[in-house]
Amino acid sequence: IQDMNTERHPHRTARRWTPHLGACSMRREPRIQARIMESAMERLKIGVVGTGIMGELYIRALQADGRVEVAAVCNRGMERREAAGERYGIAARYSDAAEMVEAERLDAVCVATPDFAHYAPAKAALEAGCHVLCEKPFTTDVDEADELCRLADARGLTIQVAYSHRWLAPYHRTFAAIQAGEIGEPLMGYARKN
């Protein structure tokens, strides 16, 4: 996330949030990480919508980055919501994303709901002035996707789809080989991830 909305959060300064969710920072030497943490003014406050498999992966990845605070979780099902809150020490728990983004002072929201349920929490987050990282697919409707893009642009916010496989080594090597002309022009592609 770039150029944080300082109108909504005047106490914060503009900062960057990289889309890899801090994965690189987890591999730094402890003394380098400590120096980075000392220089950080304030941690980004993130809310995670959806506490299924992907939602919990995002929570763990975000909590591993000292620059981030997972401030709230949201899930319609009480059992999963409460379990995730207890497991990861997150006190703010909501059943409605719009309620979460209105009640909490979040910088960004990670949407990890089932595919058909991405639009509403992403829209609520953007309307509340939060940047959004959305699991793929972005939406299941082109008009909804267009609306979210227009809303983000109009408010000066970033909305990003988490295409996590893009930088995995096998995919990246394949892309680089295609770009370099090493394997000719692809006619079709197939990948399996197990």
Side-chain angles (χ1 to χ4, degrees), residues 5 19 24 40 46 64 70 80-81 85 90 109 142 145 152 161 169 179 181 191:
N5 182 349
C24 290
I46 311 284
V70 179
R80 278 196 167 181
R81 175 179 66 243
I90 303 166
V109 170
V142 173
V161 180
Q179 293 297 104

Side-chain angles (χ1 to χ4, degrees), residues 4-41:
M4 297 298 293
N5 182 349
T6 54
E7 287 179 20
R8 184 170 192 276
H9 303 289
H11 65 288
R12 299 181 187 275
T13 57
R15 290 162 293 173
R16 291 182 182 272
W17 179 43
T18 54
H20 57 60
L21 301 174
C24 290
S25 67
M26 289 187 281
R27 287 185 241 123
R28 290 189 178 117
E29 292 180 38
R31 63 183 175 76
I32 295 172
Q33 184 67 27
R35 211 171 340 138
I36 291 168
M37 290 306 301
E38 288 171 4
S39 68
M41 291 183 61

Side-chain angles (χ1 to χ4, degrees), residues 118-134:
H118 289 175
Y119 170 75
K123 182 178 180 188
L126 291 170
E127 288 175 339
C130 299
H131 299 279
V132 176
L133 175 66
C134 185

Side-chain angles (χ1 to χ4, degrees), residues 68-91:
V68 174
E69 173 192 352
V70 179
V73 292
C74 176
N75 198 75
R76 285 176 35 169
M78 184 178 72
E79 191 175 312
R80 278 196 167 181
R81 175 179 66 243
E82 295 302 314
E86 288 298 318
R87 188 176 299 117
Y88 299 104
I90 303 166

Side-chain angles (χ1 to χ4, degrees), residues 36-75:
I36 291 168
M37 290 306 301
E38 288 171 4
S39 68
M41 291 183 61
E42 228 178 299
R43 297 185 334 163
L44 289 171
K45 289 183 73 173
I46 311 284
V48 176
V49 181
T51 56
I53 294 168
M54 290 307 297
E56 288 208 26
L57 287 172
Y58 280 112
I59 292 169
R60 289 194 340 243
L62 289 164
Q63 286 186 333
D65 189 327
R67 300 167 294 178
V68 174
E69 173 192 352
V70 179
V73 292
C74 176
N75 198 75

